Amino acid sequence: LFNNMKLIIIDRDPRDIISDLSINNALLGVDFNLNRDLDKYITWHKYLRQNESKKALKINFENLILNEIQTLDIVDEFIGEEPLHNKFDLYKSKKNIGIWKKNLNTKESDFIKKNIQYEYTD
């Protein structure tokens, strides 16, 4: 179907993911909603990422927002097309970085950081 297909994966701080799921009541089942089962969340998070393609470009959401020009340069080089600069208003997304600070306690945040490898930007 596609010749030279390219995949860009934009991943996000796992603490913000769990916070966003919690805020939107979109968590992983009733037991998780009631108990905030971090082990279940970590298992789910890792499962979704275990088959990522080596041929895909993986970038962090936080880098895209906070280091927009450098990150879009990487995307431009990967795609091999015209530059993407000035085609997005990424500033609006800045408010979605660090929402975990209002939703997780220190123990929960540290537990996630210990169990999920990610380029954290605390």
Side-chain angles (χ1 to χ4, degrees):
L1 291 173
F2 297 99
N3 295 328
N4 301 323
M5 183 176 80
K6 303 213 175 174
L7 176 67
I8 299 173
I9 300 167
I10 301 175
D11 206 358
R12 187 174 176 200
D13 185 326
R15 299 168 302 174
D16 280 337
I17 294 171
I18 193 172
S19 295
D20 205 17
L21 290 171
S22 180
I23 290 166
N24 292 300
N25 236 358
L27 293 174
L28 310 167
V30 175
D31 59 327
F32 190 89
N33 285 332
L34 295 175
N35 302 320
R36 199 190 298 248
D37 184 342
L38 294 181
D39 287 320
K40 186 173 183 178
Y41 169 72
I42 288 167
T43 299
W44 172 81
H45 184 92
K46 288 180 177 180
Y47 176 78
L48 289 180
R49 286 151 182 82
Q50 72 184 2
N51 292 321
E52 290 178 353
S53 172
K54 300 267 190 236
K55 296 180 181 181
L57 173 64
K58 182 177 176 184
I59 58 176
N60 294 349
F61 176 77
E62 298 80 15
N63 285 339
L64 179 60
I65 304 306
L66 301 174
N67 302 311
E68 175 184 352
I69 293 172
Q70 299 92 326
T71 306
L72 288 178
D73 284 345
I74 293 167
V75 171
D76 292 342
E77 185 177 326
F78 177 74
I79 293 173
E81 298 287 331
E82 66 181 74
L84 294 173
H85 299 326
N86 302 319
K87 293 187 180 183
F88 301 102
D89 184 3
L90 299 176
Y91 184 76
K92 291 179 182 179
S93 294
K94 192 172 185 177
K95 68 181 188 293
N96 294 314
I97 297 173
I99 62 172
W100 64 268
K101 294 173 185 175
K102 294 180 183 176
N103 293 285
L104 299 176
N105 62 44
T106 302
K107 185 177 178 182
E108 291 171 323
S109 173
D110 291 346
F111 186 78
I112 290 171
K113 285 176 73 171
K114 179 182 174 190
N115 288 284
I116 297 177
Q117 188 175 22
Y118 188 78
E119 187 179 312
Y120 293 96
T121 58
D122 290 353

